């Protein structure tokens, strides 16, 4: 492909024929003035190329796929760039649009998508976020559709009519509010922009007419050239125009610019200077394009390549004929390298998408497996629900899949989740049925409790109230919304009855509670009592305490634990007496026997007698064993330490045996 530069004849001179007039006569002019203007133009063009190349990261990222190379590949690639630049020419906010951060909307929840939507509306110009809004809307609608299906199934399974179903939530309402604001603002923006585009197009067409008019102006060439440069500057600042008018307007403009250059009939030096300037700037563009071909960031390099093509076409004029094909071929080759790398980048992206697809299919299979394995308990289903939620989260975070299978993958995922939800809802529907039956049973118990809560027949009603309390515990769960309410009713009725019963019994047993208070005081006094150095006097004091305790009498049944505390405190005091341990043991035992004798339960005395007999038998067995052991020391002297130790143990055991025999005798005496 060759550049559409001005055509020259064989000797390098330009010839221009206006479609409206015959060739004009050369105009005498001040070439030094024109020379200065050309030099200024060269400087400004150089600055323009460098400035726009540096800011190219802000240019639109056109992600059009690049087809495999064909003989016309260079033409096709350039056409793509020109089409993209035509689109950019319609929107002067293009650079700003690409400052909006790209995010993975697929991995966001509905609440996160709504929050991000609100952030975009508040942080960016409305015309820069269209792509992001469309992606957010698509993801939000897909997720809300899934939720809507779940709610609809639950509604129908609970007995609702499909025609009556309606569901929304606060997140959906907020999202709709944001979208309404977006539509109002974007419509207002496009309406205003349409007017501006039309006005800018009219301005550019007028500039073209003025350039055409310069061909018939007969005045000083310096003045004409200056007017021409002013018109070029006005063209650059005229603003965006409709994309469908872009290429035609630019081609018409360049056609008449070329005619003006030919009309000038500049001498060869000035023309060559102009050609050299354009050549130098285009070489810079080519070198930058070749640098971009080495850049690993393919999106960034393609964005800047678009800027370079725009500068090549819109800012720079022709070069000498001998260089035209060569520099365009070099520029085209650099363009092709960038496109080839970009094509490879998209191929790698496709591979990544394929891996994401594999991961998502694995997740779907796991969801299907969980859906097939039916749980039979609330805890089992709760565990499965957590597993499904984790898999759903993993699915959304797995990344994008190839576009051709995106919808089918999403549909397969929704079907797997829907199957699980149906099984879950079926279980909980049956569970609700059981819960309502349980609710009826518990309400029946509440009725019994309330019917008897004021009864005076405590002997008959108390067993009944205890029975219904046990039945309540055995009945399963009820609907959550009723649970606290019915428990409060049942508890209130039962507490009312038992509080009345206890109050009456407490009134009847008032003397027992008074006895309990006296015993509490006596026990506290015993704990702080100090022993003297006279064991007999201390024994007498302790025995008096025991007699005083007995004289107080009975305490309430549920307070009789205090007797055990008292006799434990008595034993502690006896243990501190300085007297023979065997005698002390018998004194403590006699005190214990008196406590047992006072008990209404005769089995306690029987148990004590059986325990003593067992202990006597054990001690006799131990003495026999020790005496048998002495036979092994028949040849050992009696003063041997081991022999002496055995004899000592036998003596201790016999002394202990005497004590237990005395205890047995005391117990037997209690029966008479």
């Amino acid at each position: 492909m060759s550049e559409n530069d001005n055509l020259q004849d064989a000797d390098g001179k330009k010839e221009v024929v206006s479609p409206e007039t015959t060739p004009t006569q050369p105009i005498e002019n001040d070439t030094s003035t024109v020379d200065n203007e050309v030099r200024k133009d060269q400087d400004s063009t150089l600055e323009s190329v460098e400035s726009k190349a540096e800011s190219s990261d802000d240019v639109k990222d056109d992600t059009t796929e690049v087809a495999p190379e064909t003989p016309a590949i260079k033409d096709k690639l350039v056409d793509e760039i020109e089409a993209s630049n035509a689109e950019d020419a319609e929107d002067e906010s293009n650079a700003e649009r690409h400052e909006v951060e790209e995010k993975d909307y697929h991995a966001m929840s509905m609440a996160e998508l709504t929050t991000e939507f609100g952030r975009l509306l508040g942080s960016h110009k409305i015309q820069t976020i269209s792509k992001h809004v469309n992606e957010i809307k698509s993801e939000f609608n897909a997720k809300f559709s899934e939720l809507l299906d779940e709610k609809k199934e639950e509604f129908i399974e609970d007995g609702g009519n499909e025609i009556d179903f309606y569901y929304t939530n606060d997140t959906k309402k907020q999202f709709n509010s944001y979208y309404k604001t977006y539509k109002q603002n974007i419509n207002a923006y496009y309406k205003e922009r349409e007017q501006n585009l039309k006005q800018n197009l009219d301005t550019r067409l007028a500039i073209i007419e003025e350039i055409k008019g310069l061909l018939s102006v007969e005045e000083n060439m310096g003045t004409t050239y200056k007017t021409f440069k002013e018109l070029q500057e006005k063209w650059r600042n005229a603003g965006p125009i409709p994309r469908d008018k872009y290429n035609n307007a630019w081609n018409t403009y360049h056609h008449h610019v070329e005619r003006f250059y030919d009309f000038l009939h500049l001498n060869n030096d000035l023309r060559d200077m102009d050609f050299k300037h354009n050549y130098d700037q285009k070489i810079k563009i080519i070198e930058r394009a070749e640098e971009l071909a080495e850049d690993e960031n393919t999106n960034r390099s393609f964005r800047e390549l678009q800027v370079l093509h725009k500068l090549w076409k819109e800012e720079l004029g022709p070069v000498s004929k001998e260089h035209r094909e060569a520099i365009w071929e070099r520029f085209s080759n650099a363009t092709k390298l960038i496109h080839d790398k970009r094509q490879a980048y998209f191929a790698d992206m496709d591979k990544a998408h394929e891996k994401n697809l594999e991961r998502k299919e694995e997740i779907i299979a796991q969801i299907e497996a969980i859906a097939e394995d039916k749980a039979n308990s609330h805890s089992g289903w709760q565990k499965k629900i957590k597993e499904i939620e984790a898999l759903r989260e993993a699915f959304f975070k797995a990344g994008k899949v190839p576009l051709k299978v995106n919808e089918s993958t999403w549909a397969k995922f929704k079907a797997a989740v829907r199957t699980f939800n149906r099984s879950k809802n079926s279980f909980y529907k049956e569970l609700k049925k059981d819960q309502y039956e349980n609710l009826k049973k518990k309400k029946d118990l509440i009725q019994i409790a309330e019917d008897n809560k004021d009864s005076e027949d405590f002997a008959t009603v108390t067993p009944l109230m205890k029975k219904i309390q046990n039945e309540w515990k055995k009945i399963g769960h009820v609907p959550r919304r009723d649970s606290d309410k019915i428990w409060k009713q049942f508890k209130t009725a039962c507490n009312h009855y038992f509080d009345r019963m206890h109050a009456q019994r407490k009134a009847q047993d008032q003397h027992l509670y008074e006895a309990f208070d006296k015993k509490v005081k006596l026990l506290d006094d015993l704990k702080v009592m100090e022993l003297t150095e006279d064991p007999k006097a201390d024994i007498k004091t302790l025995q008096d305490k025991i007699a005083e305790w007995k004289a107080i009498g009975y305490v309430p049944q549920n307070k009789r634990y205090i007797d055990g505390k008292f006799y434990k405190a008595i034993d502690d005091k006896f243990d501190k007496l300085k007297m023979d341990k065997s005698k002390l043991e018998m004194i403590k035992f006699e005190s214990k026997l008196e406590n047992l004798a006072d008990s209404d339960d005769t089995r306690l005395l029987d148990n004590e007698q059986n325990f003593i007999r067992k202990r006597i038998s054990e001690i006799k067995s131990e003495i026999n064993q020790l005496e048998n052991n002495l036979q092994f020391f028949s040849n050992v002297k009696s003063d041997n330490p081991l022999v002496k130790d055995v004899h000592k143990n036998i003596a201790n055991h016999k002394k202990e045996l005497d004590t237990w025999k005395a205890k047995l005798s005391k117990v037997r005496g209690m029966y008479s």
Side-chain angles (χ1 to χ4, degrees):
M1 175 179 177
S2 66
E3 178 186 12
N4 184 24
D5 287 331
N6 298 331
L7 299 178
Q8 295 179 332
D9 57 21
D11 62 1
K13 296 181 180 179
K14 297 180 183 177
E15 181 178 359
V16 179
V17 179
S18 169
E20 301 169 354
T21 63
T22 57
T24 58
Q25 294 298 320
I27 300 175
E28 296 299 327
N29 59 80
D30 182 359
T31 57
S32 63
T33 303
V34 178
D35 186 19
N36 290 335
E37 293 293 338
V38 170
R39 292 182 183 278
K40 291 178 182 178
D41 191 31
Q42 291 173 347
D43 295 337
S44 64
T45 304
L46 176 60
E47 292 174 0
S48 173
V49 171
E50 294 174 345
S51 173
K52 292 187 178 180
E54 289 173 359
S55 63
S56 61
D57 277 351
D58 291 334
V59 181
K60 177 181 177 182
D61 175 16
D62 180 5
T63 57
T64 305
E65 291 287 352
V66 180
E69 184 174 5
T70 66
I73 185 67
K74 294 174 186 175
D75 291 341
K76 183 176 180 180
L77 298 182
V78 173
D79 287 343
E80 289 179 9
I81 293 176
E82 289 188 349
S84 178
N85 285 339
E87 181 179 352
D88 292 345
E90 189 178 72
D91 188 358
E92 61 187 354
S93 66
N94 177 60
E96 297 177 7
R97 176 165 62 248
H98 300 286
E99 294 176 1
V100 181
E101 180 184 0
E102 293 282 351
K103 294 187 178 181
D104 187 1
Y105 301 125
H106 187 62
M108 292 185 180
S109 66
M110 287 190 292
E112 291 170 335
L113 289 169
T114 303
T115 300
E116 178 64 14
F117 196 174
R119 188 190 70 79
L120 290 175
L121 286 174
S123 304
H124 298 278
K125 292 183 178 180
I126 199 69
Q127 67 271 26
T128 68
I129 62 174
S130 297
K131 173 187 172 185
H132 301 267
V133 170
N134 290 335
E135 289 185 14
I136 289 174
K137 182 173 179 287
S138 175
E139 292 295 342
F140 185 92
N141 286 344
K143 290 178 172 64
F144 187 76
S145 175
E146 180 189 6
L147 176 63
L148 204 61
D149 289 344
E150 294 178 10
K151 296 297 182 181
K152 186 175 183 179
E153 286 183 10
E154 292 177 4
F155 177 77
I156 295 173
E157 288 177 359
D158 286 341
N161 191 326
E162 182 175 356
I163 198 172
D164 297 326
F165 174 74
Y166 174 77
Y167 175 79
T168 189
N169 57 26
D170 292 340
T171 303
K172 174 63 173 172
K173 292 176 183 176
Q174 184 63 66
F175 185 88
N176 288 347
S177 175
Y178 284 149
Y179 192 73
K180 181 179 179 181
T181 300
Y182 167 76
K183 292 297 291 183
Q184 291 173 343
N185 292 346
I186 197 67
N187 288 338
Y189 164 76
Y190 279 120
K191 184 176 181 180
E192 181 182 358
R193 191 185 71 164
E194 185 178 359
Q195 296 175 350
N196 291 338
L197 293 175
K198 185 177 182 303
Q199 183 176 346
N200 294 339
L201 177 61
D202 292 342
T203 300
R204 288 184 184 272
L205 294 178
I207 292 172
I208 292 173
E209 291 300 317
E210 288 189 60
I211 293 176
K212 288 168 60 179
L214 292 178
L215 300 178
S216 59
V217 174
E218 296 185 4
E219 60 181 15
N220 181 279
M221 183 55 66
T223 303
T224 303
Y225 186 78
K226 182 178 179 181
T227 301
F228 171 72
K229 300 308 289 182
E230 289 173 352
L231 289 173
Q232 281 190 310
E233 186 64 22
K234 284 178 64 177
W235 176 271
R236 294 188 186 99
N237 298 326
I241 61 176
R243 72 183 71 178
D244 60 332
K245 307 293 185 183
Y246 172 77
N247 283 323
N248 185 57
W250 273 105
N251 290 334
T252 303
Y253 169 73
H254 278 291
H255 169 72
H256 290 290
V257 167
E258 290 174 358
R259 289 185 63 216
F260 179 80
Y261 271 109
D262 289 342
F263 171 72
L264 287 178
H265 289 288
L266 296 177
N267 61 40
N268 286 339
D269 289 339
L270 289 178
R271 184 190 61 188
D272 292 344
M273 184 184 300
D274 202 20
F275 282 174
K276 184 178 185 305
H277 161 70
N278 294 335
Y279 177 82
D280 291 342
Q281 300 308 312
K282 288 188 174 182
I283 289 297
K284 286 179 185 253
I285 290 176
I286 292 170
E287 290 173 348
R288 180 55 185 158
E290 290 170 343
E291 289 177 7
L292 292 176
E294 303 298 323
D295 192 343
E296 295 301 321
N297 189 326
T298 55
N299 284 332
R300 181 175 61 200
S301 60
F302 183 75
R303 290 196 300 267
E304 189 169 338
L305 180 65
Q306 289 178 262
V307 175
L308 296 179
H309 273 268
K310 191 171 184 179
L311 293 175
W312 184 287
K313 175 181 179 181
E314 299 177 7
E315 301 289 342
L316 297 173
V319 300
S320 60
K321 188 173 183 179
E322 67 268 21
H323 296 304
R324 290 179 189 175
E325 292 294 338
I327 64 171
W328 176 249
E329 184 70 17
R330 185 177 170 189
F331 189 37
S332 298
N333 289 336
T335 297
K336 181 179 180 300
L337 287 175
I338 294 173
H339 277 76
D340 287 345
K341 289 187 66 174
R342 189 160 173 265
Q343 188 176 28
Y345 164 78
F346 283 118
D348 291 340
M349 185 179 293
D350 287 341
K351 291 180 182 178
H353 289 172
E354 289 291 342
K355 288 185 178 179
N356 295 342
L357 176 61
E358 291 177 8
R359 172 60 181 147
K360 288 194 171 184
E361 287 179 340
E362 290 175 1
I363 292 171
I364 292 171
Q366 291 175 350
I367 293 175
E368 291 172 341
I370 293 173
E372 290 177 3
D373 182 20
K374 304 291 192 299
N376 54 10
S377 67
H378 170 67
S379 60
W381 277 104
Q382 289 301 307
K383 181 180 178 183
K384 285 180 176 293
I385 289 171
K386 290 181 180 178
E387 290 174 353
I388 293 295
E389 284 301 317
L391 289 172
R392 289 180 79 257
E393 188 75 13
F395 181 88
F396 290 128
K397 290 183 178 179
K400 295 182 179 180
V401 300
L403 187 61
K404 62 184 179 181
V405 296
N406 184 51
E407 289 188 8
S408 60
T409 304
W410 175 247
K412 191 176 179 182
F413 169 74
K414 286 205 301 181
V417 174
R418 187 179 295 115
T419 300
F420 170 80
N421 286 333
R422 284 173 179 168
S423 298
K424 176 197 69 176
N425 294 340
S426 176
F427 169 80
Y428 280 104
K429 184 178 180 180
E430 290 299 319
L431 187 62
K432 284 182 180 179
K433 182 179 177 181
D434 294 339
Q435 288 179 346
Y436 281 114
E437 291 177 359
N438 294 337
L439 177 62
K440 184 179 181 304
K441 293 177 182 179
K442 289 194 172 184
K443 284 185 175 180
D444 291 341
L445 296 182
I446 291 173
Q447 189 62 48
I448 295 173
E450 291 183 339
D451 289 345
N452 291 276
K453 66 180 182 179
D454 294 316
S455 174
E456 299 293 336
D457 187 1
F458 296 111
T460 303
V461 175
T462 299
L464 174 63
M465 297 296 277
K466 290 182 178 179
K467 178 185 176 184
I468 65 174
Q469 285 182 324
N470 288 329
E471 289 180 2
W472 182 281
K473 295 176 183 177
K474 295 176 183 178
I475 298 174
H477 294 286
V478 300
R480 183 177 299 177
R481 65 175 179 269
D482 300 303
S483 180
D484 291 341
K485 179 182 177 181
I486 64 171
W487 167 243
K488 185 177 180 181
Q489 284 181 270
F490 184 70
K491 182 180 178 182
T492 300
C494 291
N495 287 348
H496 177 78
Y497 172 79
F498 284 108
D499 287 345
R500 288 178 56 252
M501 183 194 73
H502 292 149
Q504 187 187 64
R505 287 186 177 179
K506 186 173 182 179
Q508 293 174 347
D509 298 335
Q510 186 61 37
H511 64 287
L512 298 179
Y513 286 97
E514 292 175 356
F516 175 74
D517 293 338
K518 291 178 181 179
K519 284 193 172 184
V520 169
K521 186 176 184 308
L522 181 57
L523 177 58
D524 291 339
D525 292 342
L526 176 63
K527 288 179 178 179
V528 298
M529 185 187 77
E530 297 290 339
L531 297 176
T532 67
E533 296 297 325
D534 184 354
K536 290 184 179 181
D538 289 334
I539 291 173
K540 179 66 170 58
T541 301
L542 293 175
Q543 289 175 336
D544 290 342
K545 292 288 185 183
I546 294 172
E548 184 180 355
W549 184 270
K550 291 180 179 180
I552 292 174
Y554 292 108
V555 297
Q557 182 72 29
N558 62 341
K559 304 291 185 180
R560 291 188 178 180
Y561 62 84
I562 198 170
D563 289 334
K565 290 186 175 183
F566 174 77
Y567 283 103
K568 183 179 184 305
I570 287 291
D571 288 344
D572 290 341
K573 295 297 182 182
F574 274 124
D575 288 341
K576 295 178 181 179
L577 294 176
K578 297 179 180 179
M579 60 182 299
D580 181 72
K581 297 299 180 184
S582 59
K583 291 181 179 180
L584 180 60
E585 184 68 23
M586 287 305 298
I587 294 173
K588 289 170 59 179
F589 184 70
E590 289 172 359
S591 173
K592 181 179 181 181
L593 286 181
E594 290 180 6
N595 184 38
L596 294 177
D598 292 337
S599 173
D600 295 334
D601 191 352
T602 58
R603 291 177 301 176
L604 296 177
L605 201 59
D606 294 338
N607 292 338
E608 186 67 24
Q609 181 176 225
N610 292 334
F611 175 74
I612 293 173
R613 284 176 175 173
K614 182 180 178 181
R615 187 63 187 135
I616 289 173
S617 177
E618 291 173 350
I619 295 174
K620 285 181 177 180
S621 178
E622 291 172 0
I623 291 173
N624 289 335
Q625 183 64 46
L626 289 171
E627 289 177 344
N628 289 335
N629 291 342
L630 283 176
Q631 296 177 7
F632 294 102
F633 299 99
S634 57
N635 298 325
V636 180
K637 295 182 179 181
S638 59
D639 60 349
N640 184 283
L642 292 176
V643 175
K644 290 173 68 176
D645 188 50
V646 173
H647 280 293
K648 182 178 179 181
N649 282 339
I650 292 174
N652 290 336
H653 278 74
K654 287 182 177 181
K655 186 176 181 180
E656 184 179 2
L657 179 61
D658 291 339
T659 300
W660 284 104
K661 286 181 177 180
K663 288 182 178 182
L664 181 60
S665 178
K666 290 282 187 183
V667 172
R668 288 173 177 172
M670 296 295 294
Y671 286 98
S672 61

